[in-house]
Amino acid sequence: MGKRVVDVEERLPWYQALPLGLQHFLSMFGATVLVPMLMGFSPSVSVMCSGIGTALYLVATKGKIPSYLGPSFSFVGPVVIASATAGVAGVGSAIVGAGLVFVVCALVVRKAGTRWIDRLIPTVVMAEIIFVIGCGLATTAVSEALTVPEGETLWQTLVVAGVAFFVVVLCACFGKRVLNTIPVLVGAAVAYGLSCAFDMVDFTPVAEAAWIGLPEFTLPVVDVTAIVLVSPIAIIVVIEHIGHLFVIGEMTHRNYNPILWRSLLGDGLATTVAGLLGAPPATTFAENIGVLNVTRVYATQVFWYAAATAFIVGGFCPKLGALVGTIPDPVIGGVSIVIFGLIACNALKMLVEHAVDMTDSRNLIIFGGPAIAAIGMQSMGVSIPVGEYSVPGLAVAALLGIVLNLVLPGRSPDAGTEEALPMPREGYDDLARDFERAENGSNEKG
């Protein structure tokens, strides 16, 4: 008997939804703390803004898309460069500008529709982008899993990461009831307990932290140079955002094209708020998409609990934030290997479900060439410099895939039509009618 699927609109009792929300909070915590540290921002403000941003996203999408928003790695390079002259406050204005770029993209998509996406990014290109998203994170997961804390040995690190990995696998595949729905949380908890037994956890920051307190916000100051340098990166993140949305649509068997503009709008609002408070720009999180894949719990209700947890931990309780911060990297790395692997496998699943002919040399080249180039770039930590900007591997994968699809001979004349949609159309008509009624109702009231 297969694992029960909890659909997007389903509502769970709070005692079931809360641990599921904590699981999502835990999966995003490592990156949500790491990105601001790389950029020179406050980790506490970043965690708090991830909660605020997720709540805004859920409101913007009317609770139709299960997703968590956290800080984007794509902005790290430009932000670091801009911070050298503009400071955190100046970069804050650039992040607000990036949020406005998202909003403009959302309005364009709402006006122009999404047919161009279907023609520009057929299934084989979208699968290639998703494959890069998953495999590109392999370096992050493995480096965390093999990070040896000071004073510890490699074998202890390997044991902790291995326990985290195998507990997640066992709970996901053989767990009953509760264990089956929170495998990531259980895996992290067991591995954390083992880390404590190995004396790998330093509780000094927890003892020193206050129970109640506010983080230090940094209000933006307009800096034109920083805005010009940082804001356009939002275009690259839009591509990543669309890729994430397609993965979620594949898992939930929904076509989210009709509300893509709402998803981009939610990301834009979250990024704008982050810039106003002194946090990194926001994006949908691959880590949380991986958790959805493991648990098959797609209820957006769960993300309200995750957002609330981030808001409280980051904004009002330094001691809880310090406690979560004591989780060793091998714990996060062990569970991340499973999560990121499933994201990559979604690409292969998409190719199979949409019957993409992978014996066709054209499809092989469109999928394989850009994917290898991008994964190689991301594993090496390199990007292509373009003036003051740097183009990351994911953007290279998307652009190469799109260009090859347009120029290689043999493209089907109906590519990009309904048959080539990268989403199953199950539930599409009902979803489209729901939003059409909602929009018409709001217009009539106005």
Side-chain angles (χ1 to χ4, degrees), residues 121-192:
I121 313 177
T123 302
V124 65
V125 176
M126 184 51 63
E128 172 251 318
I129 294 172
I130 294 170
F131 188 72
V132 170
I133 291 173
C135 291
L137 292 167
T139 303
T140 301
V142 174
S143 64
E144 287 181 335
L146 299 181
T147 296
V148 181
E150 186 177 352
E152 305 302 327
T153 62
L154 179 59
W155 76 266
Q156 289 176 316
T157 300
L158 290 173
V159 169
V160 170
V163 167
F165 175 88
F166 284 110
V167 170
V168 172
V169 171
L170 292 174
C171 288
C173 295
F174 306 107
K176 304 296 183 182
R177 298 182 180 178
V178 176
L179 292 180
N180 189 259
T181 57
I182 54 171
V184 175
L185 186 62
V186 175
V190 172
Y192 183 71

Side-chain angles (χ1 to χ4, degrees), residues 90-399:
V91 173
S93 66
I95 293 173
V96 171
L100 296 180
V101 170
F102 263 105
V103 173
V104 170
C105 288
L107 296 178
V108 170
V109 169
R110 186 183 187 188
K111 183 70 175 178
T114 58
R115 206 63 177 168
W116 60 273
I117 297 175
D118 303 330
R119 293 187 177 279
L120 203 61
I121 313 177
T123 302
V124 65
V125 176
M126 184 51 63
E128 172 251 318
I129 294 172
I130 294 170
F131 188 72
V132 170
I133 291 173
C135 291
L137 292 167
T139 303
T140 301
V142 174
S143 64
E144 287 181 335
L146 299 181
T147 296
V148 181
E150 186 177 352
E152 305 302 327
T153 62
L154 179 59
W155 76 266
Q156 289 176 316
T157 300
L158 290 173
V159 169
V160 170
V163 167
F165 175 88
F166 284 110
V167 170
V168 172
V169 171
L170 292 174
C171 288
C173 295
F174 306 107
K176 304 296 183 182
R177 298 182 180 178
V178 176
L179 292 180
N180 189 259
T181 57
I182 54 171
V184 175
L185 186 62
V186 175
V190 172
Y192 183 71
L194 183 61
S195 301
C196 293
F198 285 162
D199 199 24
M200 297 171 63
V201 180
D202 180 10
F203 289 102
T204 303
V206 181
E208 295 176 348
W211 279 103
I212 299 175
L214 291 173
E216 184 176 347
F217 300 113
T218 303
L219 300 180
V221 175
V222 176
D223 188 294
V224 176
T225 302
I227 292 173
V228 172
L229 180 63
V230 174
S231 297
I233 301 300
I235 300 297
I236 295 173
V237 182
V238 165
I239 297 174
E240 181 182 13
H241 182 108
I242 294 174
H244 288 171
L245 196 62
F246 274 80
V247 178
I248 296 172
E250 281 288 317
M251 289 189 293
T252 58
H253 299 291
R254 292 165 183 263
N255 188 320
Y256 282 123
N257 278 1
I259 55 171
L260 171 60
W261 73 273
R262 286 188 172 278
S263 186
L264 293 172
L265 176 63
D267 205 331
L269 294 175
T271 297
T272 301
V273 170
L276 292 173
L277 297 180
T283 186
T284 45
F285 252 33
E287 289 87 338
N288 297 88
I289 296 172
V291 173
L292 289 174
N293 206 351
V294 173
T295 64
R296 298 187 187 178
V297 177
Y298 308 128
T300 52
Q301 170 205 17
V302 169
F303 288 92
W304 283 105
Y305 284 89
T309 302
F311 181 70
I312 294 171
V313 170
F316 301 99
C317 189
K319 193 172 286 291
L320 279 177
L323 179 62
V324 177
T326 63
I327 300 175
D329 287 339
V331 176
I332 303 298
V335 300
S336 295
I337 290 173
V338 181
I339 292 172
F340 298 157
L342 288 175
I343 294 172
C345 288
N346 265 318
L348 306 180
K349 178 183 175 185
M350 181 183 293
L351 294 173
V352 172
E353 289 184 345
H354 291 273
V356 177
D357 183 8
M358 294 308 287
T359 63
D360 185 345
S361 297
R362 183 179 186 278
N363 288 334
L364 287 173
I365 291 172
I366 291 174
F367 184 94
I372 291 300
I375 293 169
M377 288 176 62
Q378 293 188 216
S379 63
M380 294 175 63
V382 300
S383 55
I384 298 176
V386 180
E388 296 292 332
Y389 302 98
S390 57
V391 181
L394 179 62
V396 170
L399 294 174

